[in-house]
Structure formats: C-alpha cells, structure tokens
Amino acid sequence: MPTVDTYNISGAKTGEIELNAAVFGVEINAAVMHQALVRQLSNERQGTHATKTRGLVRGGGKKPWRQKGTGRARAGSTRSPLWVGGGVVFGPQPRSYYKAMPRKARRLAVKSALSEKVVGQDIFILDEIALAQAKTKEILNILSNFNAGEVKALFITDGDAIVERCARNIKGVKAIATEGLNIFDLLHHDKLFITKDAVAKIEEVLG
C-alpha cells in the first residue's frame, strides 16, 4: 500500500496514512484516462448548433427568371446555396455528442489519475480544512503554506460548501466534493489537496 504524509492546513506534517492500493496504487493506464477525458468533454457539448438549408431559409419560392432565353444560368430559387442569402450546404445540425463508456473503465481512469498524482508526489492529505473565517484569503494561505500558490490546485472535501465557495474566486483553484470527482479535474490540476474524510469516502466507493 502506498504511504503518504498527512498535514494540517499550516503545512506541518502530522503523521502518515496508508492509502488503498486498489485506488491509489493501480497501474497507470493512459489510454483509458484519455478515453474518459474525451467522453467527459464530449458529453458536455449541447449539440444545439444549427444552420438553415435552402429549404429552411425564408423566401425563394418564385423562380427568378425563365428557364431559357435569358443567356443566364438556370435558377429555380434565390435561396440556393450559390446565392447570397441562400442556404448552407452540409452545415452543422442539432445532434448528440454522447459517448458511452463502461463504468469499470470510467472508475479505472479516475484511479489511474489518482495513482499518477501519488507517484508524482502531487497529492497532499490534510487532516481537515478548518478555516478561521469563510474568506478567499484562507485558501490562499493554505496554498502558500504548501508552496502551491502558482500552480493549479484541486481541493477534494467531503462536501464542505464553505471551502468550495472560498476557492471558486481564485484562478486555477477549484474545490469539489467526493461525489463530483471526475477525470477532467484530476488531470487539469497540478496538485491535489484531499481531506482524510474524503480519502475514506473515495476508497469506500472505488475500492
């Protein structure tokens, strides 16, 4: 089992914790992580884009000129894609970008990302995040204590709304609950700050 140090919010070491190897010590699978990331980004697309074909553009019902005898090319409608103000050929239409992926593969991607952070020593286990006051500067102080003020950091808590609210105004910093753990946030942020309670819940769900 991987063993990592635990800290308080001041950055002082308070002990050690053994992490579940089935969650934080799996073999890193880059292909599955990439697949899960593509799936998440794809499923966030609304797919409501739309252009009008020649049949949807208003007007154009009258033939502009007779078929023969004018010396001009044949034309049946002023809404042809060849005309200014006409329809669009092969333009985007509403569609679904949904991608399916087995639950085991999705979980493996998250476990691979967590294991990668452990290998890279980019994960900090905190005893708890007890803020003196519900202010953004409290989160900034924590980052400063860990020399992480210039990196993208992700806080994972057991559903602490105060931490989430205090962190959302800092560029590159985000706080989420364990229920919202996802592959994009794990890969997008450089450092992870996870409370002991959150670790226990993650291991309970993914272990």
Side-chain angles (χ1 to χ4, degrees), residues 52-65:
K52 291 185 177 182
T53 63
R54 64 181 295 164
L56 297 176
V57 179
R58 182 174 179 175
K62 180 183 178 182
K63 187 173 174 67
W65 50 75

Side-chain angles (χ1 to χ4, degrees), residues 80-103:
S80 163
L82 302 178
W83 289 53
V84 174
V88 176
V89 181
F90 303 132
Q93 295 296 319
R95 54 164 289 197
S96 171
Y97 285 92
Y98 176 77
K99 291 182 182 295
M101 187 175 179
R103 178 184 295 180

Side-chain angles (χ1 to χ4, degrees), residues 127-146:
D127 294 329
E128 61 177 349
I129 304 178
L131 303 182
Q133 39 188 341
K135 291 184 177 294
T136 300
K137 68 178 182 180
E138 296 293 328
I139 300 296
L140 290 173
N141 289 338
I142 295 175
L143 294 173
S144 177
N145 293 335
F146 287 90

